[in-house]
Amino acid sequence: MKIVTTAEMREIDRITTEKYGIPSLTLMENAGAAVAEFVLEQYPKAEEIGVICGKGNNGGDGFVAARKLYDAGKNVLVLLLADPKELKGDAAVMFERLPVAAVCARNIKELEQESAMLVANANVLVDAIFGTGFRPPLTPFHTKACELINGTRPVVSVDIPSGIDADETDMKKIRKTIWAFSNGVVTFTAPKPAHVFLNLTPHPVVVAQIGSPRNAIQSKLKLEVITKNDLHTLWVPRPWDAHKGLFGHVLVMGGSTGKAGAAAMAAIAAMRVGAGLTTAATPKSVLPTVAGFAPELMTVPLPENEAGAIAISSQESAIKKVLAGKTVVAIGPGISRAPEAEQSVHAIVAHAKVPVVIDADGLNAFEGKANLLNGKQRPLVLTPHPKEMARLTGLSVDEIESNRVEIARKFAAEHRLILVLKGQRTLVADPEGTVWVNMTGNPAMAKGGSGDVLTGMVAGLIAQSPDHLFNAVLAAVHIHGLSGDLAARSLGERSVLAEDIIQQIPHAIQASDQLTNRPVSLTLGRARKRQ
């Protein structure tokens, strides 16, 4: 799903009406209905709902939501932060259709009157003051309105929390400002940058489709959000006469003395996402430990140095033998930074004719040697965290974190590969310069081994769908984060281990293998029903 700027959103609305003949009133009606549906779904027991509206189209959406909530049997209170005579266009039409009389406040003194405070103290508030067209700063009057909203009751924002610039992506710029703190946000047609990159709400941000045709939704940002609809090509039913050979053979190369678990977890994750066969190639002294993690796992002993690290670079025949018959190679988990191990990584990557997924010390092997990474020779997928990315690029971690999107975009394009830059909002950059943003995942996954699990998942899904390689990477990133969400929901954010993420993979796949035609089509957070 495309991420669009506010200017692009205005153009999308214009084209929807002028080219495709969908009236703007219809778009507003659908938007308000989506907000009401969300409020009813999340807060089914709330009897009194306050709707605080501005004088623009965001307020018009709020008027529609108020009407729909009234029709659903709720006690609805409406506060208009303007004189009704200031309303224009569609907002004025929707105001006239309100089934209840609105309380009007035109200044701070009127905001403090008892009638306005009654609205602000409803069980649930709908924030419909400003939409994505807002530009900071708030006036003192609207600052006071946001302060009224920021109480103890749940708040649902229409389009975006009032006071937020929808094109903003830097959380530091809004931390000291006043805005409407929301428990949930309903936006329309496509997410804007702030919805994706700012932590606007601890709960859901949903994108409702309100009538704009897909062809009308265009953007020059080259930014996308990963959704379930992007993954559906991978979830085709398996044929009744299926056999393991149909679903690929993953080679996981890694492990060293003291780091056997990394290779094992990557291999188990590859099996858990559905790879037909998985082989772990690991130093011969480490092999018994790796093999002991899972009886389904095949293993191959590799030559090693005195410290128990892989040392295969000088044995071309052994390299060809271990690569033979494999569908995809994952290299790096636990492999160590021993010189022999790094040379082995270079040799495997150079010899491989199938897709290669590189992680951990496999990436560190290319510190100062990123020129050796060329996806034109065979597909390459890199999965660095910020420190590994810093080593690959020669930049500092702070530089990486301050410009994640553009650095990922540039590196993927220059090296013609797929780059998965891990972190809060993991990014997937393709060789053509488009960057996809993942919205699943949580701080519980900040544990050793989580990255190894992702490596195995990427390789396992590529093995099954080599013709849909990029979608397989998107699916792995999305499901990895969702597995972490499910694990955190069950165990809490402090207690999740990497193996807990693996255990949740089947449930995450089942949740992702469900397309929906509901008006609210995308969840950008972890929705939970409220009371």
Side-chain angles (χ1 to χ4, degrees), residues 52-55 79-83 86 103-113 116 129-130 134 137-149 162 178:
I52 303 180
C53 301
K55 63 182 181 180
L79 174 60
L80 172 61
L81 303 180
D83 191 308
E86 297 180 73
V103 175
C104 298
R106 288 150 288 223
N107 52 57
I108 292 176
K109 184 176 180 181
E110 290 181 342
L111 265 182
E112 295 172 342
Q113 291 179 352
I129 304 173
F130 291 117
F134 170 79
L138 289 168
T139 67
F141 171 55
H142 291 108
T143 297
K144 179 65 175 180
C146 286
E147 289 173 345
L148 286 178
I149 288 173
S162 293
I178 297 294

Side-chain angles (χ1 to χ4, degrees), residues 382-404:
L382 276 56
T383 61
H385 57 54
K387 186 173 288 187
E388 291 161 348
M389 191 68 194
R391 295 188 184 112
L392 286 174
T393 59
L395 301 172
S396 69
V397 172
D398 287 343
E399 288 173 315
I400 298 292
E401 291 288 59
S402 65
N403 197 19
R404 286 166 53 83

Side-chain angles (χ1 to χ4, degrees), residues 439-522:
M439 304 302 293
T440 61
N442 64 85
M445 303 173 75
K447 289 277 182 72
S450 292
D452 303 314
V453 173
L454 175 60
T455 300
M457 293 175 69
V458 171
L461 286 171
I462 290 175
Q464 298 168 75
S465 303
D467 294 334
H468 301 284
L469 188 147
F470 188 72
N471 282 57
V473 177
L474 295 181
V477 171
H478 180 82
I479 294 167
H480 179 252
L482 183 55
S483 299
D485 290 340
L486 294 173
R489 192 176 301 174
S490 173
L491 301 171
E493 290 189 343
R494 295 181 184 276
S495 301
V496 172
L497 302 178
E499 61 183 335
D500 298 319
I501 298 172
I502 294 175
Q503 293 301 317
Q504 292 296 337
I505 289 173
H507 306 294
I509 290 176
Q510 289 176 340
S512 298
D513 186 16
Q514 297 172 2
L515 297 181
T516 175
N517 292 318
R518 296 176 64 233
V520 177
S521 62
L522 171 67

Side-chain angles (χ1 to χ4, degrees), residues 30 59 92 124 145 190 195 202 223 237 279 343 401 446 453 492 527-528:
N30 293 342
V124 174
H195 294 126
L223 281 172
T279 295
Q343 293 163 11
E401 291 288 59
V453 173
R528 301 186 183 98

Side-chain angles (χ1 to χ4, degrees), residues 239-320:
W240 286 105
D241 59 348
H243 56 84
K244 60 190 176 185
L246 291 178
F247 308 116
H249 190 163
V250 176
L251 173 66
V252 175
M253 183 172 289
S256 58
T257 298
K259 297 181 180 179
M265 284 187 292
I268 294 169
M271 292 190 290
R272 186 60 79 181
V273 296
L277 294 166
T278 303
T279 295
T282 193
K284 57 185 178 182
S285 65
V286 175
L287 187 146
T289 304
V290 173
F293 280 99
E296 302 89 347
L297 180 61
M298 297 186 293
T299 54
V300 172
L302 295 179
E304 60 186 328
N305 67 6
E306 293 180 355
I310 291 172
I312 196 176
S313 60
S314 62
Q315 303 183 31
E316 187 171 334
S317 60
I319 291 173
K320 290 181 178 180

